[in-house]
């Protein structure tokens, strides 16, 4: 286990470039299982979750070659189907949530897959019903293997159909799309997730020979094909990392430029920070966040307290609420945060309260933050990172605090952020990784 030792109170300045998108990487890497041809992917982030998925694909027979920094080729022309049914494979899948995205392409291409409960953040229930219902609509059947506590899912031939998803699940949509590209006939998915990363996956599949229309909307139509071929794909920058850097710049920045963010794919994220009073300047495809002595929270037109709530795209991603809460702790004004999707994600605010933040946790889904207006600085603490996003939020809080903080369980942060201490230290932070 490793920890971060953070000496707070140092202003950061300079330029930082976001990594490739973690959530897109998990989807497009799994999509390489759909063809026996070589697929080249650029801008893959060097983070734990992605690296573990790459190792898992290698274990099942995918030929993987690293061509350069962030560029890999994948060729799934000799899959080890026997290994896919082994207990070792099931155990590795259980330790990695991203492994769930292998089910769709394996089912579509080979007609069978093994399903176990995947790992990941401990942020409440993250059910897989949407995935399974979509596969069931396509004609797949499930069998529970009690002695192994897994489900075997299979179909001689998937058949296209109309389906209305019970929720706009990002991974559920991606999984169903990857299965449906090989289904016989036409599949129509209503209430599909339409995040930029799902759009990226669909565009990549179309370049491989798939026939997907409605990309960018919540109504996808997939005409099944018999074969896909290789392609080349460049991933988007990680919008969650961009948002994390905006929050960092607001809390302890002395003028920070975030390079090549793909502004058009950030959606409502910049506006959410602007509602907290954070100044964000768009310069080409860069964002520049100047030093602000004070930032003032907006109120609604009728004068009522500002409320920020997560929602499916194009609404505000739940992955950034943790960072927004930290930023609000030093704003002038009060904000109600409503985290609708996961019932345990706000529990990390207890650590911010220990640091001196004025936060009222109303229930597992709502918290009111009363900002200090920088009149009272957060104080250093010993903390543990409960999940990826809370971890980066606590790191930002520690960088702005008086004194030296320690954050343990930083493996959680490593799952989503590439060489984070090196990149932030280059801006003037004082972060040390301690084994």
């Amino acid at each position: 286990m490793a920890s971060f030792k953070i000496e707070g109170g140092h202003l950061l300045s300079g330029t930082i470039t976001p990594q490739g998108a973690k959530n897109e990487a998990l989807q497009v890497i799994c999509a390489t299982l759909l063809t026996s041809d070589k697929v080249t992917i650029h801008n893959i982030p060097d983070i734990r979750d992605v690296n573990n998925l790459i190792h898992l694909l290698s274990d099942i027979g995918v030929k993987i070659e690293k061509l350069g920094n962030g560029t890999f080729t994948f060729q799934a022309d000799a899959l080890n189907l026997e290994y896919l049914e082994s207990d070792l494979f099931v155990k590795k899948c259980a330790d990695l949530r991203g492994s769930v995205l292998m089910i769709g392409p394996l089912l579509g291409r080979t007609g069978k897959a093994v399903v176990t409960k995947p790992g990941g953040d401990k942020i409440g229930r993250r059910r897989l019903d949407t995935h399974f219902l979509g596969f069931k609509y396509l004609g797949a059947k499930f069998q529970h293997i009690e002695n192994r506590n897994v489900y075997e899912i299979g179909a001689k031939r998937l058949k296209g159909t109309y389906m209305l998803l019970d929720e706009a699940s990002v991974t559920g949509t991606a999984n169903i799309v990857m299965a449906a590209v090989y289904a016989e006939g036409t599949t129509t998915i209503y209430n599909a997730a339409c995040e930029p990363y799902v759009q990226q996956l669909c565009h990549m599949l179309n370049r491989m020979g798939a026939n997907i229309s409605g990309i960018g909307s919540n109504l996808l139509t997939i005409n099944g094909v018999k074969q896909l071929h290789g392609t080349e794909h460049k991933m988007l920058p990680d919008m969650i990392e961009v948002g994390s850097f905006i929050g960092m710049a607001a809390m302890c920045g002395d003028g920070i430029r975030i390079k090549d963010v793909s502004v058009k794919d950030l959606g409502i994220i910049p506006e959410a920070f602007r509602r907290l009073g954070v100044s964000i300047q768009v310069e080409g495809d860069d964002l520049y966040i100047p030093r602000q002595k004070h930032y003032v929270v907006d109120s609604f037109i009728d004068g009522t307290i500002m409320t920020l709530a997560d929602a499916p795209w194009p609404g505000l991603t739940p992955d950034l609420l943790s960072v927004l809460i930290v930023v609000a702790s030093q704003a002038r004004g009060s904000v109600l945060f409503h985290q609708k999707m996961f019932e345990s994600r706000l529990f990390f605010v207890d650590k911010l309260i220990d640091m001196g933040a004025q936060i009222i946790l109303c229930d597992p889904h709502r918290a009111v933050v009363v900002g200090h207006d920088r009149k009272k600085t957060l104080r250093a603490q010993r903390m543990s990172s409960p999940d990826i996003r809370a971890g980066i939020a606590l790191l930002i809080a520690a960088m702005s605090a008086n004194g030296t903080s320690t954050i343990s369980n930083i493996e959680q942060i490593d799952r989503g952020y590439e060489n984070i201490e090196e990149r932030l230290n280059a801006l003037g932070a004082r972060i040390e990784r301690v084994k």
Side-chain angles (χ1 to χ4, degrees), residues 157-430:
R157 178 70 169 165
L158 297 176
K159 294 190 176 181
T161 186
Y162 168 86
M163 64 180 77
L164 173 61
L165 301 187
D166 61 333
E167 65 173 357
S169 165
V170 176
T171 54
T173 299
N175 233 344
I176 296 165
V177 167
M178 287 189 283
V181 291
Y182 276 137
E184 182 180 340
T186 300
T187 302
T188 305
I189 307 173
Y190 196 26
N191 196 30
C194 51
E195 268 80 352
Y197 305 145
V198 175
Q199 298 176 38
Q200 284 278 97
L201 171 68
C202 291
H203 287 308
M204 172 180 162
L205 292 173
N206 277 350
R207 290 196 302 274
M208 294 169 69
N211 186 347
I212 305 170
S213 59
I215 300 172
S217 75
N218 67 348
L219 181 62
L220 293 175
T221 302
I222 303 129
N223 293 308
V225 297
K226 293 185 177 180
Q227 190 173 2
L228 296 181
H229 51 74
T231 190
E232 193 165 347
H233 178 77
K234 183 177 181 181
M235 291 172 29
L236 289 174
D238 195 310
M239 70 170 80
I240 311 303
E241 191 171 69
V242 172
S244 301
F245 292 156
I246 295 173
M248 175 195 70
M251 287 287 285
C252 46
D254 192 24
I256 290 180
R257 178 176 298 277
I258 311 172
K259 288 284 294 180
D260 302 327
V261 301
S262 189
V263 172
K264 66 182 179 63
D265 294 302
L266 292 179
I268 202 172
I269 289 172
E271 183 59 28
F273 284 95
R274 289 188 179 110
R275 289 184 176 184
L276 297 183
V278 178
S279 175
I280 302 175
Q281 300 170 11
V282 179
E283 300 178 358
D285 212 24
D286 299 351
L287 298 180
Y288 180 74
I289 296 84
R291 168 74 172 158
Q292 289 179 262
K293 290 185 178 180
H294 303 278
Y295 46 98
V296 182
V297 178
D298 285 346
S299 59
F300 289 116
I301 293 174
D302 61 1
T304 54
I305 185 173
M306 175 57 60
T307 300
L308 290 177
D310 60 338
W313 185 271
L316 179 61
T317 170
D319 284 347
L320 277 177
L321 281 190
S322 303
V323 173
L324 286 161
I325 287 172
V326 170
V327 173
S329 73
Q330 290 299 322
R332 180 187 300 168
S334 301
V335 193
L336 170 64
F337 288 93
H338 191 175
Q339 160 53 272
K340 301 173 185 175
M341 297 177 65
F342 306 111
E343 59 274 305
S344 303
R345 203 162 211 169
L346 291 184
F347 290 163
F348 89 103
V349 302
D350 285 348
K351 299 174 177 63
L352 297 179
I353 293 171
D354 290 340
M355 298 179 78
Q358 292 184 307
I359 303 175
I360 302 168
L361 185 60
C362 308
D363 56 46
H365 293 278
R366 295 177 301 161
V368 175
V369 182
V370 181
H372 286 310
D373 192 22
R374 298 196 193 273
K375 294 176 181 177
K376 182 179 178 183
T377 306
L378 298 177
R379 55 180 175 264
Q381 284 288 323
R382 293 185 64 88
M383 301 169 282
S384 178
S385 173
D387 63 73
I388 301 174
R389 308 310 175 187
I392 199 68
L394 293 175
L395 182 60
I396 293 169
M399 286 192 293
S400 73
N402 279 331
T404 300
S405 298
T406 301
I407 302 177
S408 60
N409 195 30
I410 60 170
E411 288 78 10
Q412 286 284 1
I413 301 174
D414 290 338
R415 289 177 49 216
Y417 293 85
E418 178 180 332
N419 300 325
I420 190 64
E421 74 275 22
E422 296 176 16
R423 297 158 71 202
L424 297 186
N425 285 343
L427 298 177
R430 302 283 181 87

